[in-house]
């Protein structure tokens, strides 16, 4: 498994870029369908909020009493304790659906550029920790093929609930989208509160070898056999980093066997510059030594635009006759 945490593209405002050999490796893996994107909240900015901004909206609305108002899991846990988990999940889904309707008006009925760029990459598998349906709509729009969408079954109750994709004939031409943290069409599937994260981690450890594992076989194969490209995450996304580390250990993926991985991280511009750089350096060293992930800093939009440009001008692989 290889991981790329992508940062700024060539010529962006920060003046950062991937090394030429990193670009070459990444583009080659995309062209050959051996790259698996993992999408975070930064991909949908500014049309949908990051987890921190969503937490602040909820904290203000429900008078959250603590100082960590950008900690979505904790804010959601507070609301769930005074109401119930289903209540806060329904409220989050309703809020995101409203934001999507506003975005649709701004875009003249179209879709966000980042999701259209991702769809144009033509990859077989996408994994997302976002709740929205932008990516599946973009893939259907660009390819003319309705992707197979699956929700992570991190709790046993989801086996009897709606939202599981229909069993239909699949082919190599059918893209797959796996929602690791749930989907707004099934509010109960959302990985949102602190309790949810505990249950998720327990299930991840216990349900690896069952007939119906929490993470489908095609996703686990992608973890082991493709380059991973994390886009749209931030310094605060530690829950996801811990979960990815756990997945890698379950797959028995060792650093010396890992393929290249990149993470395109969003910088936290609210921090003082010196403190932010120390935090970024810590994350870079941690991910490189623990998971063989190279970290670069920047916005998802410029990076995806540059990646698509390079992919479209790259020679396509020959099809054996």
């Amino acid at each position: 498994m290889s991981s790329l945490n992508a940062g700024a593209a060539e010529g962006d405002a920060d003046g950062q870029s991937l090394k030429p050999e990193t670009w070459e490796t990444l583009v080659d893996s995309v062209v050959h369908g051996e790259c698996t994107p993992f999408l975070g909240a930064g991909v949908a900015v500014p049309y949908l909020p990051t987890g921190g901004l969503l937490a602040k909206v909820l904290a203000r609305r429900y008078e959250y009493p603590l100082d960590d108002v950008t900690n979505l899991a904790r804010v959601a846990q507070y609301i769930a304790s005074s109401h119930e988990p289903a209540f806060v999940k329904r409220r989050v889904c309703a809020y995101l659906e409203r934001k999507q309707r506003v975005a649709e008006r701004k875009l003249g009925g179209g879709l966000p550029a980042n999701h259209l760029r991702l769809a144009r990459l033509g990859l077989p598998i996408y994994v997302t920790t976002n709740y929205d349906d932008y990516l599946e709509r973009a893939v259907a729009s660009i390819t003319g093929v309705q992707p197979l969408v699956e929700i992570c079954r991190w709790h046993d109750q989801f086996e009897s609930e709606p939202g599981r994709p229909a069993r239909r004939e699949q082919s190599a031409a059918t893209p797959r989208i796996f929602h690791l943290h749930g989907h707004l069409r099934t509010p109960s599937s959302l990985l949102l509160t602190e309790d949810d994260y505990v249950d998720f981690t327990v299930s991840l450890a216990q349900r690896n070898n069952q007939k119906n594992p929490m993470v489908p076989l095609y996703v686990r194969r992608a973890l082991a056999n493709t380059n991973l490209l994390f886009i749209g995450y931030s310094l605060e996304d530690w829950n996801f980093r811990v979960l990815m580390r756990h997945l890698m250990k379950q797959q028995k993926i060792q650093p010396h066997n890992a393929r290249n991985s990149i993470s395109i991280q969003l910088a936290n511009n609210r921090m003082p510059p010196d403190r932010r750089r120390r935090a970024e350096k810590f994350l870079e060293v941690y991910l490189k030594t623990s998971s063989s992930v190279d970290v670069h800093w920047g916005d998802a939009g410029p990076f995806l635009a540059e990646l698509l440009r390079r992919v479209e001008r790259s020679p396509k692989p020959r099809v054996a006759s």
Side-chain angles (χ1 to χ4, degrees):
M1 166 179 137
S2 153
S3 300
L4 301 172
N5 190 352
E10 281 184 348
D12 69 0
D14 294 329
Q16 297 175 334
S17 176
L18 304 182
K19 295 182 293 186
E21 57 268 28
T22 304
W23 273 120
E24 189 174 19
T25 300
L26 176 58
V27 170
D28 184 70
S29 69
V30 171
V31 168
H32 287 84
E34 296 182 4
C35 177
T36 302
F38 275 66
L39 310 181
V43 170
V45 170
Y47 303 107
L48 294 178
T50 62
L53 289 176
L54 177 58
K56 289 176 74 172
V57 170
L58 293 171
R60 184 168 56 250
R61 170 66 179 82
Y62 294 99
E63 299 180 343
Y64 179 68
L66 304 179
D67 292 332
D68 54 346
V69 294
T70 60
N71 186 327
L72 180 57
R74 192 159 298 163
V75 172
Q77 187 68 53
Y78 170 79
I79 300 169
S81 68
S82 60
H83 294 72
E84 64 178 7
F87 174 88
V88 65
K89 293 183 183 187
R90 288 193 294 266
R91 291 300 178 274
V92 166
C93 289
Y95 178 78
L96 294 178
E97 287 168 346
R98 286 198 302 273
K99 296 293 284 186
Q100 284 192 262
R101 288 195 293 271
V102 171
E104 190 169 355
R105 290 195 294 271
K106 289 181 178 178
L107 293 166
L111 293 166
N114 284 345
H115 297 83
L116 293 170
R117 289 165 180 151
L118 284 160
R120 287 192 179 100
L121 295 178
L123 292 167
I125 298 172
Y126 300 83
V127 179
T128 178
T129 52
N130 299 331
Y131 308 140
D132 63 82
D133 62 356
Y134 276 144
L135 183 59
E136 63 197 84
R137 290 160 58 191
V139 169
S141 172
I142 294 298
T143 67
V145 176
Q146 188 63 38
L148 180 69
V149 178
E150 187 160 3
I151 300 170
C152 179
R153 303 286 157 168
W154 56 271
H155 196 288
D156 292 341
Q157 74 183 71
F158 302 145
E159 288 304 314
S160 60
E161 291 192 358
R164 192 170 184 83
R167 296 290 181 183
R168 58 183 173 84
E169 187 175 349
Q170 302 165 20
S171 71
T174 304
R176 296 170 181 254
I177 301 172
F178 183 63
H179 283 263
L180 186 64
H181 286 180
H183 194 295
L184 56 77
R185 282 203 298 265
T186 307
S188 61
S189 71
L190 267 58
L191 194 69
L192 185 61
T193 67
E194 288 182 325
D195 283 349
D196 290 339
Y197 279 95
V198 172
D199 292 343
F200 182 97
T201 305
V202 170
S203 293
L204 195 62
Q206 293 179 344
R207 294 175 52 198
N208 192 40
N209 297 313
Q210 294 181 1
K211 268 187 182 178
N212 190 19
M214 194 177 93
V215 178
L217 180 59
Y218 68 88
V219 175
R220 289 186 286 155
R221 283 175 175 164
L223 287 173
N225 300 318
T226 70
N227 289 35
L228 304 184
L229 177 62
F230 303 99
I231 310 174
Y233 293 98
S234 69
L235 278 171
E236 291 83 5
D237 286 311
W238 283 107
N239 283 324
F240 180 72
R241 300 303 171 193
V242 171
L243 294 172
M244 275 306 306
R245 177 63 176 159
H246 191 75
L247 284 169
M248 291 178 69
K249 289 180 70 174
Q250 282 199 334
Q251 291 297 99
K252 297 182 173 57
I253 299 167
Q254 302 300 324
H256 63 275
N257 291 326
R259 295 165 62 110
N260 291 333
S261 296
I262 295 179
S263 178
I264 307 301
Q265 294 286 140
L266 304 177
N268 185 343
N269 295 319
R270 298 184 303 276
M271 284 186 180
D274 58 336
R275 183 179 161 205
R276 186 187 80 185
R277 187 56 206 148
R278 289 198 303 271
E280 291 174 352
K281 185 64 177 177
F282 168 65
L283 182 61
E284 291 168 12
V285 172
Y286 171 78
L287 290 177
K288 183 64 177 177
T289 56
S290 67
S291 308
S292 296
V293 175
D294 289 320
V295 177
H296 301 270
W297 301 92
D299 292 335
F303 169 77
L304 285 171
E306 176 67 8
L307 175 59
L308 181 61
R309 184 181 71 81
R310 288 173 179 262
V311 167
E312 289 180 339
R313 74 182 187 188
S314 178
K316 299 298 181 287
R318 293 182 180 179
V319 179
S321 57

